[in-house]
Amino acid sequence: MRDTNDLKRLNNNRKKRKAILRLLLTILLLALLIIPFFILKHIINNKKEQQLLKENYSVLKELENRQIEDVEKELYQKQNKKSVDNSKDSRGSNLNNEKNLASNKVFFEDSVFMGDSLTEALDFYSLLNPSSVLAKKGQNVVQAKGFVPQLVNLKPRRIFLRYGSNDLEFFSNVNDFEKNYINLIKSIKEKLPNSEIYIQSITPITPKAQQKNPMLANDRFNLFSEALKKIADKEKVHYLDITPVISGRNNLYEPDGIHFKVEFYTLLLKFIRDNL
Amino acid sequence: MMSFKKTKVKTWLICIFAIVSILFSSCSIIQLKSPKVSEIVENIKKNTNLSSMDKANKSKLRKLYGISYRKLEEFAFYAPKTNMQANELLILKVKNQDDIDYLKERIDKRIEKQCNSFKNYEPKQYNLLENHILKIKGKYIILVVSKNADKIMKDIDKSFK
């Protein structure tokens, strides 16, 4: 009896060992089959990278031999196409001068628009290159002097100034406004004698907004507006009356009756182009 | 012999039951902890109207934040409608966890720039910016600038439960 039990145990042990060996063998076989796949994948990826490197290198080499002007031309063309695409998907509404939108950036690329929140919108709505807009909310002609160094660095061909809305609140006396605006223009002319300077008129404010703020009343508004013409005369710079852009288009005001919707700005840029 | 078989069957049944229940619970944990950004937005929209902002695309994301969509698995960006408004909602899900710090930097920069722009001129909007909520949840980074910031954040948190 004892012997058969021993035999049984021995057999069981042998069977166990065989089973374990079989298991190990199958695992080894699987590994041998799977590992080459990974190696192949790695090799293929390496080859792709090397191919990409070669292509990039040849593009760079080719660029070395090209003139800057040619590359710039190509960039502008691509930029035009891109702006048209962007303006299509970022503003779902149908702006019927989409072509003009794209070309505005190029047309005004060597111009700089300086002003307050009314000018900031030109960059906010991506109507011009960011480098064409030097604006900050609340700016008056005194604070504007702080932007002159940046303006000088941009070396613009044309400079479009649009101040007055905040100055109506800042200056109680129109003469001080005139004095400081002239100051600003002089400091620009000193550093950029060859740049053309344009002063834009103050856009009208709706009666509702005027009611909320007595400093914006019609008599003051007219005083300050007249001052702008005087300044342009004195300093021999261009004066741009942009009132026609908003005339008869009161729907282009934002609810606050002072700022404007994006459509106003596309009209404004067209107006400026047509009146240079 | 019969009792031995019974216990074997029992242990197998318990094992299977344990494995299945673990699988189920782990599935649910994994799914909810990584909600789709679009789902988070749907949850927000149930309680808050987002129409005061403009749904923005990757170009605006790059323009306003300097963030490339390539670093992101998914994103939602609701931007201010005019330059006189500050309300904004940004939900980013990164591909690589390491990019979170860089993105936070870019968001901080934008908040600083906006604060600078609105301070002293639009006190209400400046207030919204001062009370902004900026949260990092693993691979997600979220910015809320809104008078409904708390409500929106609640719905965002719910999406992760």
Side-chain angles (χ1 to χ4, degrees):
Chain A
M1 281 306 276
R2 241 186 171 182
D3 286 324
T4 44
N5 270 344
D6 281 338
L7 262 173
K8 267 192 188 168
R9 228 178 283 143
L10 263 172
N11 267 339
N12 273 343
N13 281 342
R14 254 185 234 146
K15 277 191 191 159
K16 273 189 194 169
R17 247 179 268 151
K18 267 193 178 170
I20 293 174
L21 270 173
R22 228 177 278 160
L23 190 63
L24 282 173
L25 265 171
T26 40
I27 292 177
L28 195 63
L29 267 171
L30 277 171
L32 279 173
L33 283 171
I34 292 176
I35 288 178
F37 273 121
F38 283 108
I39 298 179
L40 255 171
K41 197 176 160 201
H42 188 76
I43 294 179
I44 292 177
N45 277 347
N46 260 0
K47 269 208 167 152
K48 275 191 195 163
E49 272 182 44
Q50 278 198 19
Q51 176 74 352
L52 193 63
L53 273 171
K54 263 193 186 161
E55 285 171 12
N56 285 347
Y57 182 71
S58 59
V59 169
L60 281 171
K61 261 256 141 126
E62 190 220 337
L63 277 176
E64 257 183 55
N65 303 330
R66 289 175 56 184
Q67 299 280 34
I68 281 194
E69 296 86 44
D70 297 333
V71 178
E72 277 187 347
K73 258 195 207 160
E74 228 187 272
L75 274 174
Y76 293 151
Q77 285 173 353
K78 287 206 174 141
Q79 199 178 48
N80 278 351
K81 184 175 178 295
K82 223 185 174 194
S83 312
V84 175
D85 290 343
N86 270 349
S87 66
K88 273 186 187 158
D89 67 46
S90 63
R91 287 246 132 217
S93 58
N94 193 5
L95 296 161
N96 54 9
N97 42 354
E98 270 171 6
K99 265 197 186 164
N100 273 348
L101 258 185
S103 62
N104 276 333
K105 281 190 183 170
V106 176
F107 183 87
F108 289 110
E109 71 186 349
D110 52 6
S111 303
V112 171
F113 286 71
M114 274 182 76
D116 51 29
S117 53
L118 292 165
T119 300
E120 205 185 46
L122 286 168
D123 178 32
F124 181 86
Y125 295 118
S126 297
L127 296 171
L128 296 176
N129 293 332
S131 57
S132 292
V133 181
L134 266 185
K136 193 175 189 297
K137 290 181 184 68
Q139 289 266 291
N140 53 47
V141 288
V142 176
Q143 294 165 324
K145 279 186 94 177
F147 268 128
V148 173
Q150 255 183 283
L151 179 69
V152 172
N153 280 335
L154 289 166
K155 295 213 189 325
R157 186 175 139 214
R158 294 190 179 110
I159 302 164
F160 296 91
L161 304 173
R162 188 174 169 194
Y163 294 98
S165 303
N166 290 303
D167 304 84
L168 276 166
E169 293 186 56
F170 185 73
F171 293 104
S172 39
N173 187 337
V174 69
N175 291 328
D176 292 327
F177 169 59
E178 205 180 298
K179 201 173 65 178
N180 278 287
Y181 210 146
I182 289 177
N183 225 320
L184 170 66
I185 294 175
K186 281 198 152 88
S187 63
I188 296 176
K189 283 208 272 189
E190 188 188 2
K191 299 276 172 64
L192 297 167
N194 298 319
S195 305
E196 286 173 42
I197 301 177
Y198 296 78
I199 301 180
Q200 294 169 80
S201 60
I202 310 176
T203 39
I205 298 159
T206 60
K208 211 169 89 174
Q210 284 176 311
Q211 270 172 13
K212 292 189 184 170
N213 192 339
M215 295 295 267
L216 308 174
N218 271 338
D219 51 355
R220 300 199 84 235
F221 178 88
N222 293 332
L223 256 178
F224 279 61
S225 296
E226 284 302 311
L228 289 179
K229 293 186 197 158
K230 271 192 239 163
I231 293 167
D233 250 346
K234 281 189 188 171
E235 289 301 305
K236 309 264 188 297
V237 296
H238 304 275
Y239 175 72
L240 267 175
D241 186 358
I242 62 175
T243 319
V245 183
I246 189 64
S247 275
R249 296 191 180 110
N250 277 358
N251 58 317
L252 293 185
Y253 277 102
E254 288 283 356
D256 68 3
I258 300 175
H259 294 93
F260 299 95
K261 302 196 172 140
V262 61
E263 291 85 356
F264 166 84
Y265 289 98
T266 51
L267 289 169
L268 174 67
L269 290 177
K270 183 175 190 302
F271 179 83
I272 293 179
R273 284 173 79 160
D274 292 340
N275 286 287
L276 278 177
Chain B
M1 277 303 280
M2 280 300 286
S3 62
F4 178 63
K5 252 198 174 167
K6 259 193 185 168
T7 47
K8 215 181 179 190
V9 171
K10 262 193 198 170
T11 38
W12 270 115
L13 276 172
I14 294 175
C15 278
I16 292 173
F17 180 71
I19 292 175
V20 169
S21 53
I22 289 176
L23 275 174
F24 261 120
S25 49
S26 62
C27 270
S28 54
I29 289 174
I30 290 171
Q31 257 176 13
L32 282 177
K33 268 197 175 152
S34 298
K36 283 198 131 195
V37 171
S38 48
E39 281 170 17
I40 303 177
V41 173
E42 285 311 306
N43 284 339
I44 296 171
K45 280 185 172 175
K46 285 180 191 164
N47 294 319
T48 309
N49 193 339
L50 297 181
S51 61
S52 60
M53 300 181 274
D54 269 348
K55 191 165 192 333
N57 58 9
K58 60 185 193 214
S59 316
K60 251 213 176 147
L61 184 66
R62 178 186 285 281
K63 178 186 166 118
L64 298 182
Y65 281 93
I67 290 175
S68 165
Y69 75 102
R70 288 181 211 273
K71 289 191 180 274
L72 307 174
E73 189 180 308
E74 216 189 328
F75 78 94
F77 180 23
Y78 285 80
K81 279 200 162 155
T82 78
N83 62 317
M84 299 308 284
Q85 288 172 353
N87 51 2
E88 206 161 311
L89 171 62
L90 184 70
I91 305 175
L92 307 175
K93 183 178 180 189
V94 288
K95 288 181 180 166
N96 188 345
Q97 182 79 44
D98 297 334
D99 289 327
I100 286 274
D101 287 333
Y102 170 72
L103 292 186
K104 179 174 186 296
E105 239 182 76
R106 302 252 46 122
I107 296 177
D108 284 336
K109 272 218 166 95
R110 163 131 177 105
I111 295 174
E112 196 187 323
K113 191 171 177 211
Q114 287 285 80
C115 278
N116 239 321
S117 177
F118 285 94
K119 192 172 187 179
N120 298 328
Y121 303 113
E122 291 292 314
K124 273 194 203 163
Q125 302 299 315
Y126 179 66
N127 203 5
L128 292 182
L129 286 161
E130 275 204 299
N131 293 322
H132 73 274
I133 301 180
L134 177 57
K135 256 199 195 179
I136 297 176
K137 283 176 177 289
K139 279 190 167 182
Y140 299 76
I141 184 162
I142 298 149
L143 170 70
V144 188
V145 180
S146 167
K147 61 178 194 230
N148 297 314
D150 290 320
K151 195 175 24 155
I152 293 176
M153 203 60 222
K154 254 194 192 161
D155 287 323
I156 295 175
D157 286 331
K158 261 197 232 166
S159 314
F160 284 83
K161 292 223 174 97

